[in-house]
Amino acid sequence: MVRLITHNLLACHAKGCTSNNFPLQLKDVQIALREADFNPDFVRGFMPKIEWNALVNAARQLGDSSLPAEQPEMIDDDLLKALHHVLLEIHIEEGQMTCPNCNHVYPISNGIPNMLLAEHEIA
Amino acid sequence: MSRPELIAPPEIYYGDTESKKYTNNTRIQQVQADMTYRALELLNLPPAQPAFLLDIGCGSGLSGEILDDEGHIWAGVDIAPSMLEVALEREVEGDLFLQDIGQGFGFRPGSFDGAISISVLQWLLNAETSHPTSSPPHRLTRFFTTLFSALRNPSRAVLQFYPSSDDQIQLITSLAQKAGFGGGLVVDYPNSNKAKKVFLVLMVGSGGQVPQGLQGGAEGVENEEKVKFEKRRERAKARASMKKKSIKGKDWVLKKKELYRQRGKEDVPRDSKYTARKRKIRF
């Protein structure tokens, strides 16, 4: 049940991996779409936190191209709806996330990513 | 009180059977719900605004359901796979992560509008291996520093836990302060053994004052304000202190000197403003 909202916030936390560790690269993913209640206030409040490029790339990789490549200045209802869909309705069920810096693989199974580190990777 | 954290590490203790038991026990559900509502109250989120929250040690999503009901969107982390499985079965709304909070979080700075954690921190206080990264202070430091950076400014984290000694409270609060948090401890129902609940209210940025703990007894819990024979002891104490007070005050000295003069004793010092005055400390 990783949604893109959390994928957009998630960086690698292994020892010494402090730069270029975001966004985690998605691989071999299976997705599921589940409807969620549309809450425009939440989406609007969340917008400043979004790393736009990472979100658009991840969404395109998952086959959703409803978002423009550049973050638009104007916020209208269509944009909020598209954002809501991308952030909260696309669930990643299976697959893996790889850190672009240290290549640590976080496997996702049953919708739950395994973020555990081995002993030598703990900072 | 039973202390499951002394029996086994959380991912082992909360195996399949224990997870089911925990989730289906109505008493635990009730306690958990009460504490979650109280934690939300202490979080002091802006009213009528959906927030993005982190549930640390979300388990089977008992508190997550309440966050859903309150209209918040949340992500949860837990180290026990069986608990997360139960959460999946219960179809909770939040994003779940299998994560050891003692290893720290990888969330980008300012990700969350707040964090709650119910009955979790005490699990961080036991070392499982002799590796340096397994020591409680190291794990707590890692947890607090990464949590601090994952929270928005200003925001709060409310962590309810069951400390078994004052040393543990001391350790936890000092490490949280070192990680940059403000805030402190809120103790609800401090006079009741059963209803007493300890909340660590951590603040990022200008969070304001630490709120007051709830006083008095909770419903259904007997509230014993005083111990038996307390009154008698108080009276004895008052009597003792009264006696002590009357010894060698200014009046006593003046009376003695007057008595000596009447008896015709020589070299009785004159009375002055310095009579019976206490010496300065430095002397």
Side-chain angles (χ1 to χ4, degrees):
Chain A
M1 283 201 306
V2 199
R3 291 172 289 187
L4 287 187
I5 186 172
T6 35
H7 174 260
N8 199 252
L9 297 171
L10 209 56
C12 179
H13 65 298
K15 185 178 188 178
C17 194
T18 49
S19 60
N20 186 31
N21 58 355
F22 174 85
L24 301 176
Q25 300 300 320
L26 296 165
K27 224 179 115 188
D28 305 333
V29 289
Q30 293 172 24
I31 57 169
L33 298 179
R34 281 195 211 108
E35 275 193 31
D37 295 335
F38 178 48
N39 190 334
D41 289 340
F42 176 79
V43 178
R44 198 172 284 129
F46 193 77
M47 279 198 65
K49 293 183 199 166
I50 295 175
E51 280 278 347
W52 192 265
N53 285 338
L55 182 66
V56 171
N57 288 340
R60 298 226 161 132
Q61 198 187 338
L62 300 183
D64 186 299
S65 50
S66 56
L67 293 178
E70 293 288 319
Q71 182 161 12
E73 305 264 320
M74 285 283 290
I75 302 172
D76 54 16
D77 266 8
D78 287 344
L79 178 69
L80 287 181
K81 284 218 174 89
L83 266 177
H84 167 75
H85 176 72
V86 169
L87 286 174
L88 297 170
E89 290 185 336
I90 303 179
H91 295 251
I92 303 167
E93 291 290 328
E94 303 282 335
Q96 58 187 45
M97 298 185 288
T98 313
C99 170
N101 185 34
C102 70
N103 292 325
H104 183 100
V105 176
Y106 299 99
I108 304 173
S109 81
N110 244 336
I112 298 177
N114 181 343
M115 306 301 289
L116 298 177
L117 300 173
E119 206 168 63
H120 65 276
E121 292 169 320
I122 303 170
Chain B
M1 195 199 288
S2 68
R3 291 241 164 234
E5 65 268 24
L6 300 179
I7 297 172
E11 66 272 28
I12 292 167
Y13 181 81
Y14 288 115
D16 289 339
T17 44
E18 200 61 39
S19 305
K20 289 243 162 56
K21 261 200 253 171
Y22 189 93
T23 316
N24 295 330
N25 183 326
T26 45
R27 187 185 137 67
I28 289 179
Q29 285 174 5
Q30 184 58 43
V31 172
Q32 187 100 4
D34 287 346
M35 291 194 291
T36 309
Y37 280 117
R38 176 68 175 142
L40 270 177
E41 192 183 334
L42 290 170
L43 263 189
N44 202 12
L45 293 166
Q49 210 173 305
F52 190 49
L53 301 177
L54 179 63
D55 186 355
I56 302 158
C58 60
S60 48
L62 285 175
S63 23
E65 279 185 344
I66 291 168
L67 299 181
D68 287 336
D69 289 346
E70 299 285 310
H72 301 303
I73 295 186
W74 58 279
V77 302
D78 204 291
I79 196 178
S82 306
M83 276 291 205
L84 292 173
E85 234 164 75
V86 178
L88 278 184
E89 281 168 27
R90 287 154 50 84
E91 299 188 331
V92 294
E93 294 280 325
D95 288 6
L96 304 170
F97 293 90
L98 178 67
Q99 189 156 20
D100 181 358
I101 57 172
Q103 297 177 350
F105 301 108
F107 296 111
R108 277 201 289 127
S111 295
F112 294 96
D113 301 321
I116 65 163
S117 150
I118 307 294
S119 314
V120 173
L121 272 192
Q122 71 268 16
W123 289 97
L124 282 183
L125 294 166
N126 302 306
E128 257 120 49
T129 67
S130 57
H131 197 267
T133 57
S134 183
S135 79
H138 185 273
R139 286 164 62 76
L140 282 167
T141 308
R142 183 85 186 127
F143 167 64
F144 282 130
T145 45
T146 51
L147 176 64
F148 183 82
S149 72
L151 289 173
R152 194 172 63 95
N153 183 357
S155 68
R156 291 185 181 186
V158 177
L159 314 154
Q160 184 274 332
F161 68 113
Y162 292 107
S164 61
S165 70
D166 286 349
D167 289 348
Q168 293 191 341
I169 296 179
Q170 174 70 30
L171 176 75
I172 285 179
T173 46
S174 69
L175 290 177
Q177 273 168 10
K178 271 185 199 147
F181 283 111
L185 219 59
V186 174
V187 183
D188 281 359
Y189 313 117
N191 296 326
S192 161
N193 264 340
K194 264 190 188 166
K196 183 175 174 181
K197 291 286 175 302
V198 180
F199 292 88
L200 187 63
V201 180
L202 299 176
M203 295 166 184
V204 181
S206 55
Q209 281 193 322
V210 182
Q212 282 275 313
L214 298 178
Q215 296 296 317
E219 274 179 312
V221 178
E222 208 180 319
N223 183 21
E224 285 191 29
E225 278 188 353
K226 284 188 173 175
V227 192
K228 257 186 179 176
F229 304 123
E230 175 76 352
K231 233 179 195 168
R232 190 191 290 178
R233 207 176 54 188
E234 261 173 6
R235 225 181 298 143
K237 222 194 255 171
R239 215 181 298 143
S241 69
M242 230 156 53
K243 253 184 213 160
K244 249 180 229 160
K245 213 178 176 185
S246 62
I247 291 178
K248 302 193 179 171
K250 188 169 181 181
D251 294 356
W252 181 83
V253 173
L254 288 174
K255 206 172 83 187
K256 276 282 180 191
K257 283 160 90 174
E258 193 54 38
L259 193 66
Y260 290 152
R261 285 191 201 107
Q262 277 174 13
R263 288 175 184 167
K265 193 180 178 200
E266 285 174 0
D267 302 334
V268 179
R270 280 184 294 136
D271 296 342
S272 74
K273 64 176 181 180
Y274 300 109
T275 305
R277 198 191 263 188
K278 203 167 172 259
R279 280 187 199 279
K280 274 194 175 159
I281 298 274
R282 67 160 182 268
F283 201 79

